[in-house]
Protein backbone atom coordinates (compact mmCIF):
# COMPACT_ATOMS: atom_id res chain seq x y z
CA UNK A 1 0.00 0.00 0.00
CA UNK A 2 0.99 3.57 -0.34
CA UNK A 3 1.97 4.91 2.99
CA UNK A 4 2.01 8.50 1.97
CA UNK A 5 -0.23 10.38 -0.33
CA UNK A 6 1.95 11.06 -3.36
CA UNK A 7 0.30 14.37 -3.61
CA UNK A 8 1.58 15.85 -0.42
CA UNK A 9 4.88 14.23 -0.92
CA UNK A 10 5.57 15.91 -4.20
CA UNK A 11 4.33 19.11 -2.76
CA UNK A 12 7.20 19.38 -0.36
CA UNK A 13 10.63 19.04 -1.83
CA UNK A 14 9.81 19.90 -5.39
CA UNK A 15 8.10 23.07 -4.41
CA UNK A 16 11.19 24.34 -2.71
CA UNK A 17 13.43 24.86 -5.63
CA UNK A 18 11.12 25.97 -8.30
CA UNK A 19 8.26 27.89 -6.91
CA UNK A 20 9.50 29.41 -3.71
CA UNK A 21 9.22 32.89 -5.11
CA UNK A 22 5.72 32.56 -6.35
CA UNK A 23 4.16 30.29 -3.83
CA UNK A 24 2.85 33.17 -1.85
CA UNK A 25 0.91 34.36 -4.78
CA UNK A 26 -0.35 30.93 -5.59
CA UNK A 27 -1.92 30.58 -2.20
CA UNK A 28 -3.66 33.89 -2.36
CA UNK A 29 -6.39 32.33 -4.41
CA UNK A 30 -9.20 33.93 -2.56
CA UNK A 31 -8.30 37.34 -3.85
CA UNK A 32 -9.49 38.52 -0.50
CA UNK A 33 -6.50 40.68 -0.01
CA UNK A 34 -8.53 43.61 1.08
CA UNK A 35 -10.88 41.85 3.34
CA UNK A 36 -13.44 40.12 1.20
CA UNK A 37 -13.33 37.49 3.85
CA UNK A 38 -13.13 34.77 1.24
CA UNK A 39 -15.00 31.75 2.47
CA UNK A 40 -13.71 29.48 -0.26
CA UNK A 41 -10.94 28.17 1.91
CA UNK A 42 -13.26 27.04 4.59
CA UNK A 43 -13.97 29.02 7.66
CA UNK A 44 -13.02 32.61 7.62
CA UNK A 45 -9.51 31.99 6.54
CA UNK A 46 -9.38 34.66 3.88
CA UNK A 47 -6.86 37.33 4.40
CA UNK A 48 -7.68 38.29 7.88
CA UNK A 49 -10.28 38.52 10.51
CA UNK A 50 -9.14 35.68 12.66
CA UNK A 51 -11.54 35.82 15.54
CA UNK A 52 -14.12 38.06 13.97
CA UNK A 53 -17.38 39.14 15.46
CA UNK A 54 -19.40 35.99 14.93
CA UNK A 55 -17.22 33.88 17.11
CA UNK A 56 -16.78 34.11 20.82
CA UNK A 57 -13.77 35.45 22.60
CA UNK A 58 -12.17 32.07 22.21
CA UNK A 59 -12.94 31.92 18.53
CA UNK A 60 -13.54 28.34 17.51
CA UNK A 61 -14.21 28.54 13.83
CA UNK A 62 -13.28 25.55 11.79
CA UNK A 63 -10.78 25.64 8.97
CA UNK A 64 -8.86 23.13 6.95
CA UNK A 65 -5.19 22.31 6.74
CA UNK A 66 -3.41 20.34 4.04
CA UNK A 67 -1.11 18.16 6.15
CA UNK A 68 1.17 15.73 4.35
CA UNK A 69 -1.22 15.65 1.44
CA UNK A 70 -4.37 15.05 3.47
CA UNK A 71 -6.97 17.74 3.91
CA UNK A 72 -7.71 17.85 7.62
CA UNK A 73 -10.53 19.79 9.22
CA UNK A 74 -9.62 21.64 12.37
CA UNK A 75 -12.42 22.00 14.90
CA UNK A 76 -12.15 23.24 18.42
CA UNK A 77 -8.78 24.91 18.18
CA UNK A 78 -8.41 28.45 19.40
CA UNK A 79 -7.76 30.83 16.57
CA UNK A 80 -4.64 32.10 18.30
CA UNK A 81 -3.11 28.62 18.32
CA UNK A 82 0.13 27.94 16.56
CA UNK A 83 0.42 25.40 13.79
CA UNK A 84 2.51 23.27 16.12
CA UNK A 85 -0.21 23.22 18.76
CA UNK A 86 -2.92 22.39 16.25
CA UNK A 87 -0.89 19.68 14.55
CA UNK A 88 -0.08 17.90 17.77
CA UNK A 89 -2.97 18.62 20.11
CA UNK A 90 -5.88 18.91 17.72
CA UNK A 91 -4.90 16.71 14.79
CA UNK A 92 -2.65 14.26 16.61
CA UNK A 93 0.22 14.72 14.18
CA UNK A 94 3.19 13.83 16.36
CA UNK A 95 5.75 13.99 13.56
CA UNK A 96 6.42 17.54 14.72
CA UNK A 97 8.05 17.81 18.13
CA UNK A 98 7.27 20.45 20.71
CA UNK A 99 10.29 21.80 22.57
CA UNK A 100 10.97 25.52 22.90
CA UNK A 101 7.86 27.10 21.33
CA UNK A 102 9.93 30.17 20.60
CA UNK A 103 11.25 29.42 17.15
CA UNK A 104 14.72 28.66 18.44
CA UNK A 105 15.17 24.89 18.48
CA UNK A 106 13.82 23.66 15.15
CA UNK A 107 12.23 20.52 16.60
CA UNK A 108 8.89 21.53 15.08
CA UNK A 109 10.28 22.27 11.59
CA UNK A 110 7.93 21.73 8.67
CA UNK A 111 7.80 22.75 5.03
CA UNK A 112 5.15 25.35 4.27
CA UNK A 113 4.59 25.47 0.54
CA UNK A 114 8.10 24.10 0.27
CA UNK A 115 9.69 26.60 2.63
CA UNK A 116 11.30 25.52 5.87
CA UNK A 117 9.56 27.05 8.88
CA UNK A 118 9.24 26.48 12.60
CA UNK A 119 5.59 25.53 13.06
CA UNK A 120 5.53 27.11 16.52
CA UNK A 121 5.92 30.53 14.88
CA UNK A 122 3.11 30.00 12.37
CA UNK A 123 -0.50 30.79 13.17
CA UNK A 124 -2.41 27.63 12.31
CA UNK A 125 -5.41 29.45 10.88
CA UNK A 126 -3.07 31.40 8.62
CA UNK A 127 -1.72 28.13 7.21
CA UNK A 128 -5.15 27.43 5.69
CA UNK A 129 -4.50 27.10 1.98
CA UNK A 130 -0.83 26.21 2.24
CA UNK A 131 0.74 22.78 1.95
CA UNK A 132 2.14 21.64 5.27
CA UNK A 133 4.68 18.83 5.06
CA UNK A 134 6.09 17.16 8.16
CA UNK A 135 8.80 14.56 8.27
CA UNK A 136 6.10 11.93 7.84
CA UNK A 137 5.06 13.48 4.56
CA UNK A 138 8.49 13.63 2.99
CA UNK A 139 7.93 10.14 1.68
CA UNK A 140 9.76 6.88 1.65
CA UNK A 141 11.91 7.23 -1.42
CA UNK A 142 14.53 9.49 -2.93
CA UNK A 143 16.27 12.17 -0.99
CA UNK A 144 14.16 11.92 2.17
CA UNK A 145 14.80 8.18 2.35
CA UNK A 146 18.53 8.75 1.96
CA UNK A 147 18.55 11.37 4.72
CA UNK A 148 16.78 9.06 7.14
CA UNK A 149 18.97 6.08 6.25
CA UNK A 150 22.18 8.05 6.68
CA UNK A 151 21.05 9.51 10.01
CA UNK A 152 20.78 5.92 11.22
CA UNK A 153 23.92 4.66 9.53
CA UNK A 154 26.08 7.51 10.82
CA UNK A 155 24.79 7.54 14.37
CA UNK A 156 23.21 10.97 13.99
CA UNK A 157 20.27 9.88 16.13
CA UNK A 158 20.66 9.52 19.85
CA UNK A 159 17.65 10.50 21.93
CA UNK A 160 15.89 11.27 18.67
CA UNK A 161 13.80 14.20 19.80
CA UNK A 162 15.40 16.66 17.39
CA UNK A 163 15.58 14.15 14.54
CA UNK A 164 12.26 14.85 12.77
CA UNK A 165 13.11 18.54 12.59
CA UNK A 166 16.63 17.82 11.40
CA UNK A 167 15.44 15.43 8.69
CA UNK A 168 13.07 18.09 7.37
CA UNK A 169 15.81 20.75 7.49
CA UNK A 170 18.43 18.54 5.85
CA UNK A 171 16.00 17.48 3.12
CA UNK A 172 15.20 21.13 2.49
CA UNK A 173 18.89 22.05 2.37
CA UNK A 174 19.90 19.27 0.00
CA UNK A 175 16.94 20.00 -2.25
CA UNK A 176 18.09 23.58 -2.62
CA UNK A 177 21.86 23.02 -2.42
CA UNK A 178 22.79 19.42 -3.17
CA UNK A 179 26.48 20.29 -3.05
CA UNK A 180 26.50 22.50 0.05
CA UNK A 181 29.92 22.65 1.69
CA UNK A 182 30.47 22.21 5.39
CA UNK A 183 30.05 25.85 6.26
CA UNK A 184 26.81 26.04 4.30
CA UNK A 185 25.55 22.89 5.99
CA UNK A 186 26.35 24.24 9.45
CA UNK A 187 24.72 27.55 8.61
CA UNK A 188 21.62 25.92 7.17
CA UNK A 189 21.17 23.72 10.23
CA UNK A 190 21.83 26.47 12.77
CA UNK A 191 18.11 26.67 13.48
CA UNK A 192 17.98 23.08 14.72
CA UNK A 193 19.38 22.24 18.13
CA UNK A 194 20.65 18.79 19.12
CA UNK A 195 21.72 18.26 22.70
CA UNK A 196 23.12 14.75 22.21
CA UNK A 197 25.33 14.33 19.20
CA UNK A 198 27.47 17.45 19.23
CA UNK A 199 26.46 17.78 15.56
CA UNK A 200 29.49 15.86 14.27
CA UNK A 201 27.46 12.77 13.46
CA UNK A 202 24.73 14.87 11.89
CA UNK A 203 27.26 16.56 9.61
CA UNK A 204 28.64 13.16 8.73
CA UNK A 205 25.15 11.98 7.83
CA UNK A 206 24.61 14.96 5.53
CA UNK A 207 27.97 14.30 3.89
CA UNK A 208 27.04 10.65 3.41
CA UNK A 209 23.78 11.61 1.73
CA UNK A 210 25.67 13.92 -0.59
CA UNK A 211 28.16 11.19 -1.42
CA UNK A 212 25.39 8.71 -2.19
CA UNK A 213 23.45 11.18 -4.28
CA UNK A 214 26.46 12.31 -6.27
CA UNK A 215 27.23 8.67 -7.04
CA UNK A 216 23.68 8.28 -8.30
CA UNK A 217 23.99 11.18 -10.65
CA UNK A 218 27.63 10.69 -11.56
CA UNK A 219 28.42 10.49 -15.22
CA UNK A 220 26.13 13.26 -16.26
CA UNK A 221 27.19 16.65 -15.15
CA UNK A 222 25.53 18.98 -12.72
CA UNK A 223 22.76 20.12 -14.93
CA UNK A 224 21.17 16.75 -15.34
CA UNK A 225 21.45 16.13 -11.64
CA UNK A 226 19.36 19.15 -10.99
CA UNK A 227 16.69 18.42 -13.48
CA UNK A 228 16.37 14.83 -12.36
CA UNK A 229 16.15 15.56 -8.73
CA UNK A 230 12.49 16.04 -7.96
CA UNK A 231 10.98 12.61 -8.41
CA UNK A 232 11.34 12.15 -4.70
CA UNK A 233 7.66 11.95 -4.87
CA UNK A 234 7.17 8.37 -5.88
CA UNK A 235 5.04 6.19 -3.68
CA UNK A 236 6.68 4.17 -1.01
CA UNK A 237 8.01 1.05 -2.63
CA UNK A 238 8.14 -0.70 0.72
CA UNK B 1 -10.74 45.89 7.81
CA UNK B 2 -8.06 46.91 10.22
CA UNK B 3 -9.91 50.05 11.15
CA UNK B 4 -13.12 48.09 11.66
CA UNK B 5 -11.34 45.65 13.91
CA UNK B 6 -9.86 48.55 15.82
CA UNK B 7 -13.22 50.28 16.13
CA UNK B 8 -14.75 47.11 17.55
CA UNK B 9 -12.66 47.75 20.62
CA UNK B 10 -10.88 44.42 20.53
CA UNK B 11 -7.16 44.14 21.05
CA UNK B 12 -5.84 43.93 17.50
CA UNK B 13 -2.57 42.28 16.58
CA UNK B 14 -1.00 42.48 13.15
CA UNK B 15 0.51 39.21 12.01
CA UNK B 16 3.49 39.36 9.66
CA UNK B 17 5.68 36.30 9.70
CA UNK B 18 4.65 35.33 13.21
CA UNK B 19 8.14 34.77 14.57
CA UNK B 20 7.51 37.22 17.40
CA UNK B 21 3.73 37.27 17.72
CA UNK B 22 2.81 33.58 17.65
CA UNK B 23 5.17 32.50 20.47
CA UNK B 24 4.04 35.56 22.44
CA UNK B 25 0.39 34.57 22.04
CA UNK B 26 1.25 31.06 23.18
CA UNK B 27 3.10 32.20 26.27
CA UNK B 28 0.43 34.73 27.14
CA UNK B 29 2.88 37.58 26.86
CA UNK B 30 0.49 39.09 24.35
CA UNK B 31 -3.27 38.78 24.16
CA UNK B 32 -5.23 39.57 21.03
CA UNK B 33 -8.96 39.54 20.42
CA UNK B 34 -8.39 39.91 16.71
CA UNK B 35 -5.40 38.86 14.66
CA UNK B 36 -5.10 40.42 11.24
CA UNK B 37 -3.01 38.08 9.12
CA UNK B 38 -1.12 39.95 6.42
CA UNK B 39 0.81 37.20 4.67
CA UNK B 40 -1.68 36.94 1.81
CA UNK B 41 -1.75 40.64 1.07
CA UNK B 42 0.42 40.46 -1.99
CA UNK B 43 0.76 44.22 -2.32
CA UNK B 44 2.83 44.17 0.85
CA UNK B 45 5.36 41.81 -0.65
CA UNK B 46 6.36 44.04 -3.52
CA UNK B 47 9.89 45.31 -3.81
CA UNK B 48 10.65 48.11 -6.18
CA UNK B 49 13.46 50.28 -7.39
CA UNK B 50 13.19 53.94 -8.37
CA UNK B 51 15.83 56.18 -9.88
CA UNK B 52 17.51 56.71 -6.55
CA UNK B 53 15.48 54.82 -3.98
CA UNK B 54 14.51 51.28 -3.11
CA UNK B 55 11.10 50.40 -1.68
CA UNK B 56 10.62 47.19 0.25
CA UNK B 57 7.13 45.96 1.06
CA UNK B 58 6.47 45.20 4.71
CA UNK B 59 5.68 41.59 3.83
CA UNK B 60 9.11 40.90 2.33
CA UNK B 61 10.89 38.19 4.31
CA UNK B 62 14.54 38.11 5.28
CA UNK B 63 14.98 35.35 2.71
CA UNK B 64 13.50 37.65 0.06
CA UNK B 65 16.00 40.35 1.05
CA UNK B 66 18.94 37.94 1.27
CA UNK B 67 18.81 37.34 -2.45
CA UNK B 68 18.21 40.91 -3.52
CA UNK B 69 21.01 42.11 -5.73
CA UNK B 70 19.93 45.75 -5.75
CA UNK B 71 20.95 46.14 -2.13
CA UNK B 72 23.87 43.83 -1.43
CA UNK B 73 24.54 45.38 1.98
CA UNK B 74 20.98 44.83 3.11
CA UNK B 75 21.08 41.33 1.61
CA UNK B 76 24.15 40.45 3.68
CA UNK B 77 22.55 41.90 6.81
CA UNK B 78 19.41 39.83 6.18
CA UNK B 79 21.48 36.68 5.73
CA UNK B 80 22.86 36.85 9.27
CA UNK B 81 19.47 37.15 10.95
CA UNK B 82 18.23 34.14 12.90
CA UNK B 83 18.00 30.75 11.21
CA UNK B 84 16.69 29.56 7.85
CA UNK B 85 13.35 28.96 9.54
CA UNK B 86 13.23 32.51 10.90
CA UNK B 87 14.46 34.13 7.69
CA UNK B 88 11.86 32.27 5.65
CA UNK B 89 9.01 33.67 7.73
CA UNK B 90 10.15 36.86 9.49
CA UNK B 91 9.24 40.07 7.66
CA UNK B 92 10.41 43.65 7.35
CA UNK B 93 7.10 44.88 8.71
CA UNK B 94 7.46 42.57 11.68
CA UNK B 95 10.91 43.91 12.45
CA UNK B 96 9.49 47.44 12.48
CA UNK B 97 6.35 46.50 14.36
CA UNK B 98 8.16 44.52 17.04
CA UNK B 99 10.96 47.11 17.17
CA UNK B 100 13.31 45.05 19.30
CA UNK B 101 16.11 47.23 20.57
CA UNK B 102 18.77 45.10 18.89
CA UNK B 103 16.73 44.17 15.82
CA UNK B 104 19.23 43.54 13.06
CA UNK B 105 17.28 45.29 10.37
CA UNK B 106 16.60 48.35 12.49
CA UNK B 107 20.30 49.08 12.92
CA UNK B 108 20.92 48.81 9.19
CA UNK B 109 17.85 50.87 8.28
CA UNK B 110 18.79 53.55 10.81
CA UNK B 111 22.19 53.95 9.15
CA UNK B 112 20.43 54.03 5.78
CA UNK B 113 18.18 57.00 6.69
CA UNK B 114 15.18 54.82 5.91
CA UNK B 115 11.62 56.09 5.77
CA UNK B 116 8.63 54.08 6.96
CA UNK B 117 5.48 54.14 4.82
CA UNK B 118 2.20 53.57 6.63
CA UNK B 119 -1.48 53.38 5.73
CA UNK B 120 -4.40 54.23 7.99
CA UNK B 121 -7.94 55.58 7.65
CA UNK B 122 -6.33 59.03 7.58
CA UNK B 123 -4.49 58.10 4.43
CA UNK B 124 -0.95 57.26 3.50
CA UNK B 125 1.91 58.64 5.49
CA UNK B 126 5.66 58.41 5.62
CA UNK B 127 8.07 59.32 8.32
CA UNK B 128 11.75 58.93 9.13
CA UNK B 129 12.53 55.66 10.87
CA UNK B 130 13.69 57.25 14.16
CA UNK B 131 10.43 59.14 14.51
CA UNK B 132 8.44 56.04 13.64
CA UNK B 133 10.28 54.06 16.29
CA UNK B 134 9.90 56.78 18.88
CA UNK B 135 6.18 57.34 18.28
CA UNK B 136 5.19 53.77 17.61
CA UNK B 137 2.58 52.61 15.13
CA UNK B 138 -0.92 54.05 15.54
CA UNK B 139 -3.35 51.31 16.56
CA UNK B 140 -5.33 51.59 13.34
CA UNK B 141 -2.32 51.95 11.04
CA UNK B 142 -0.32 49.46 9.07
CA UNK B 143 3.29 49.55 7.89
CA UNK B 144 3.17 49.10 4.14
CA UNK B 145 6.80 49.53 3.16
CA UNK B 146 10.18 50.94 3.99
CA UNK B 147 12.13 53.15 1.62
CA UNK B 148 15.84 53.78 1.48
CA UNK B 149 18.37 55.27 -0.91
CA UNK B 150 20.08 53.08 -3.45
CA UNK B 151 23.49 52.06 -2.14
CA UNK B 152 26.26 54.49 -3.07
CA UNK B 153 29.23 52.47 -1.89
CA UNK B 154 30.32 49.71 0.46
CA UNK B 155 27.95 48.74 3.27
CA UNK B 156 28.94 46.54 6.18
CA UNK B 157 26.78 45.16 8.97
CA UNK B 158 28.43 43.43 11.94
CA UNK B 159 27.00 42.09 15.15
CA UNK B 160 28.03 40.28 18.26
CA UNK B 161 25.96 38.11 20.55
CA UNK B 162 24.89 34.63 21.51
CA UNK B 163 23.98 31.86 19.09
CA UNK B 164 22.75 33.81 16.10
CA UNK B 165 20.02 31.37 15.14
CA UNK B 166 18.34 31.61 18.51
CA UNK B 167 18.95 35.05 19.94
CA UNK B 168 19.00 38.61 18.69
CA UNK B 169 22.33 40.40 18.60
CA UNK B 170 23.66 41.96 21.79
CA UNK B 171 25.36 44.79 19.91
CA UNK B 172 25.14 45.54 16.22
CA UNK B 173 26.71 48.08 13.93
CA UNK B 174 26.04 49.24 10.38
CA UNK B 175 28.44 51.41 8.40
CA UNK B 176 27.28 52.69 5.02
CA UNK B 177 29.48 54.64 2.65
CA UNK B 178 28.11 56.97 0.01
CA UNK B 179 30.95 57.73 -2.36
CA UNK B 180 28.81 60.03 -4.45
CA UNK B 181 27.78 62.35 -1.66
CA UNK B 182 31.02 61.88 0.28
CA UNK B 183 29.19 60.61 3.28
CA UNK B 184 29.60 57.80 5.76
CA UNK B 185 26.81 56.86 8.15
CA UNK B 186 27.07 54.64 11.21
CA UNK B 187 24.36 53.25 13.50
CA UNK B 188 24.74 51.21 16.66
CA UNK B 189 22.04 48.87 17.99
CA UNK B 190 21.80 47.21 21.37
CA UNK B 191 23.15 50.07 23.47
CA UNK B 192 20.13 52.35 23.59
CA UNK B 193 16.46 51.43 23.56
CA UNK B 194 16.56 52.29 19.87
CA UNK B 195 19.39 52.18 17.34
CA UNK B 196 21.42 55.39 17.43
CA UNK B 197 23.42 57.29 14.85
CA UNK B 198 27.02 58.15 15.66
CA UNK B 199 27.17 61.80 14.61
CA UNK B 200 30.68 62.64 15.79
CA UNK B 201 32.18 59.58 14.21
CA UNK B 202 30.32 60.29 10.95
CA UNK B 203 31.69 63.83 10.85
CA UNK B 204 35.18 62.54 11.58
CA UNK B 205 34.88 60.12 8.67
CA UNK B 206 33.59 62.81 6.34
CA UNK B 207 36.68 64.91 7.02
CA UNK B 208 39.20 62.08 7.26
CA UNK B 209 38.38 59.96 4.22
CA UNK B 210 40.13 60.79 0.98
CA UNK B 211 36.96 60.73 -1.11
CA UNK B 212 38.72 60.77 -4.44
CA UNK B 213 40.19 57.35 -3.72
CA UNK B 214 38.05 56.05 -0.86
CA UNK B 215 41.09 55.55 1.36
CA UNK B 216 41.86 56.42 4.96
CA UNK B 217 44.99 56.45 7.08
CA UNK B 218 45.83 53.32 9.07
CA UNK B 219 45.00 54.98 12.38
CA UNK B 220 41.58 56.19 11.28
CA UNK B 221 39.68 53.00 12.06
CA UNK B 222 40.85 53.02 15.66
CA UNK B 223 39.98 56.70 16.07
CA UNK B 224 36.57 56.06 14.50
CA UNK B 225 35.97 53.22 16.97
CA UNK B 226 37.00 55.43 19.89
CA UNK B 227 34.54 58.11 18.81
CA UNK B 228 31.81 55.48 18.65
CA UNK B 229 32.62 54.31 22.19
CA UNK B 230 32.33 57.90 23.43
CA UNK B 231 29.06 58.42 21.61
CA UNK B 232 27.67 55.08 22.74
CA UNK B 233 28.24 56.04 26.36
CA UNK B 234 26.09 59.14 25.81
CA UNK B 235 23.10 57.34 24.28
CA UNK B 236 19.86 57.91 26.17
CA UNK B 237 17.69 56.21 27.08
CA UNK B 238 20.13 53.36 27.52
CA UNK B 239 19.15 49.72 27.62
CA UNK B 240 19.25 48.48 31.18
CA UNK B 241 22.23 46.30 31.96
CA UNK B 242 21.37 42.69 32.44
CA UNK B 243 21.93 39.32 30.87
CA UNK B 244 22.78 41.22 27.72
CA UNK B 245 26.04 42.42 29.23
CA UNK B 246 27.07 45.47 31.17
CA UNK B 247 26.81 48.92 29.65
CA UNK B 248 30.61 49.19 29.52
CA UNK B 249 30.89 45.93 27.64
CA UNK B 250 28.37 47.07 25.06
CA UNK B 251 30.10 50.44 24.55
CA UNK B 252 33.36 48.63 24.01
CA UNK B 253 31.80 46.12 21.64
CA UNK B 254 30.20 48.98 19.68
CA UNK B 255 33.63 50.58 19.22
CA UNK B 256 35.25 47.34 18.10
CA UNK B 257 32.49 46.57 15.61
CA UNK B 258 32.46 50.13 14.28
CA UNK B 259 36.24 50.18 13.78
CA UNK B 260 36.09 46.87 11.98
CA UNK B 261 33.17 47.85 9.77
CA UNK B 262 34.86 51.15 8.96
CA UNK B 263 38.06 49.38 7.90
CA UNK B 264 36.13 46.97 5.72
CA UNK B 265 34.31 49.76 3.94
CA UNK B 266 37.39 51.80 3.09
CA UNK B 267 40.82 51.12 1.73
CA UNK B 268 43.44 51.61 4.37
CA UNK B 269 46.59 53.20 3.03
CA UNK B 270 49.87 51.43 3.77
CA UNK B 271 51.03 51.97 7.36
CA UNK B 272 53.93 54.37 7.78
CA UNK B 273 57.34 52.71 7.90
CA UNK B 274 58.39 51.62 11.36
CA UNK B 275 54.92 50.72 12.54
CA UNK B 276 54.84 46.97 12.06
CA UNK B 277 51.40 45.53 11.98
CA UNK B 278 49.67 48.56 13.30
CA UNK B 279 45.97 49.14 13.40
CA UNK B 280 45.70 47.88 9.86
CA UNK B 281 45.43 44.55 11.65
CA UNK B 282 41.85 45.50 12.41
CA UNK B 283 40.88 45.06 8.84
CA UNK B 284 42.43 41.62 8.77
CA UNK B 285 40.04 40.32 11.37
CA UNK B 286 38.21 37.80 9.29
CA UNK B 287 34.99 36.19 10.38
CA UNK B 288 31.83 37.61 11.69
CA UNK B 289 31.91 38.13 15.42
Amino acid sequence: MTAVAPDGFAAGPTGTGETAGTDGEATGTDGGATGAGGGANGGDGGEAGVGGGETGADGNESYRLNVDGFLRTVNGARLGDSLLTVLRDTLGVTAVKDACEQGRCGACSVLLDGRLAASCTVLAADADGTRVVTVAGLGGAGLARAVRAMFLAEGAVQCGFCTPGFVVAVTDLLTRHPDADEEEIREALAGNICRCTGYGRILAAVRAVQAERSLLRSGDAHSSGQTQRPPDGGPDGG
Amino acid sequence: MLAAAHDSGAAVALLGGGTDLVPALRSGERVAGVVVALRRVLELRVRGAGADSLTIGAGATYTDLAGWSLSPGLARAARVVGSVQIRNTGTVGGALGSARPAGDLLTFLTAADAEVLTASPRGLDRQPLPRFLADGLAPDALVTAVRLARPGGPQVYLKIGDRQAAYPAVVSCAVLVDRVRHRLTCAIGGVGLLPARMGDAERYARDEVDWSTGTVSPTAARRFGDLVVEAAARITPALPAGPRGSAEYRWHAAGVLAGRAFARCLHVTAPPAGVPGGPAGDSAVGGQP
Side-chain angles (χ1 to χ4, degrees), chain A residues 20-35:
Chain A
T22 54
D23 268 352
E25 283 112 296
T27 58
T29 48
D30 36 348
T34 48

Side-chain angles (χ1 to χ4, degrees), chain B residues 138-191:
Chain B
D140 57 352
L142 169 72
V143 176
T144 57
V146 60
R147 182 169 292 163
L148 61 165
R150 275 176 176 263
Q155 303 182 333
V156 170
Y157 174 75
L158 297 176
K159 63 174 174 174
I160 192 166
D162 296 324
R163 185 182 169 113
Q164 173 202 305
Y167 300 98
V170 171
V171 177
S172 57
C173 171
V175 172
L176 277 55
V177 173
D178 187 336
R179 281 185 177 148
V180 180
R181 272 164 284 196
H182 297 182
R183 231 171 131 236
L184 179 149
T185 55
C186 173
I188 295 290
V191 175

Side-chain angles (χ1 to χ4, degrees), chain B residues 29-271:
Chain B
E29 189 185 321
R30 287 191 61 177
V31 177
V34 176
V35 176
V36 180
L38 301 168
R39 186 175 56 84
R40 296 154 200 251
V41 184
L42 301 179
E43 291 89 334
L44 294 180
R45 304 192 63 169
V46 171
R47 284 167 292 156
D52 45 24
S53 71
L54 301 173
T55 305
I56 303 159
T61 64
Y62 292 97
T63 299
D64 292 335
L65 294 183
W68 203 27
S69 58
L70 289 179
S71 185
L74 185 59
R76 280 193 303 275
R79 256 176 248 145
V80 297
V81 175
S83 59
V84 175
Q85 287 92 332
I86 299 294
R87 292 195 291 275
N88 278 346
T89 42
T91 63
V92 172
L96 293 167
S98 299
R100 293 182 174 213
D104 294 86
L105 226 40
L106 300 187
T107 305
F108 188 95
L109 294 175
T110 298
D113 286 320
E115 281 185 323
V116 179
L117 279 61
T118 57
S120 75
R122 294 171 298 287
L124 303 176
D125 192 15
R126 58 195 233 184
Q127 45 191 320
L129 177 62
R131 204 175 84 217
F132 170 84
L133 292 175
D135 296 351
L137 184 65
D140 57 352
L142 169 72
V143 176
T144 57
V146 60
R147 182 169 292 163
L148 61 165
R150 275 176 176 263
Q155 303 182 333
V156 170
Y157 174 75
L158 297 176
K159 63 174 174 174
I160 192 166
D162 296 324
R163 185 182 169 113
Q164 173 202 305
Y167 300 98
V170 171
V171 177
S172 57
C173 171
V175 172
L176 277 55
V177 173
D178 187 336
R179 281 185 177 148
V180 180
R181 272 164 284 196
H182 297 182
R183 231 171 131 236
L184 179 149
T185 55
C186 173
I188 295 290
V191 175
L193 283 175
L194 299 171
R197 286 283 287 271
M198 302 286 107
D200 288 350
E202 291 181 5
R203 282 184 285 277
Y204 169 77
R206 184 193 58 204
D207 299 337
E208 185 69 16
V209 174
D210 178 347
W211 289 105
S212 59
T213 57
T215 55
V216 287
S217 72
T219 53
R222 178 147 299 172
R223 177 72 186 132
F224 185 81
D226 289 345
L227 287 169
V228 166
V229 174
E230 287 170 24
R234 291 195 300 267
I235 294 176
T236 52
L239 266 184
R244 303 175 55 78
S246 69
E248 289 78 9
Y249 167 77
R250 285 182 276 120
W251 302 339
H252 172 74
V256 171
L257 294 181
R260 237 176 244 177
F262 180 88
R264 283 194 200 172
C265 282
L266 300 158
H267 298 294
V268 178
T269 54

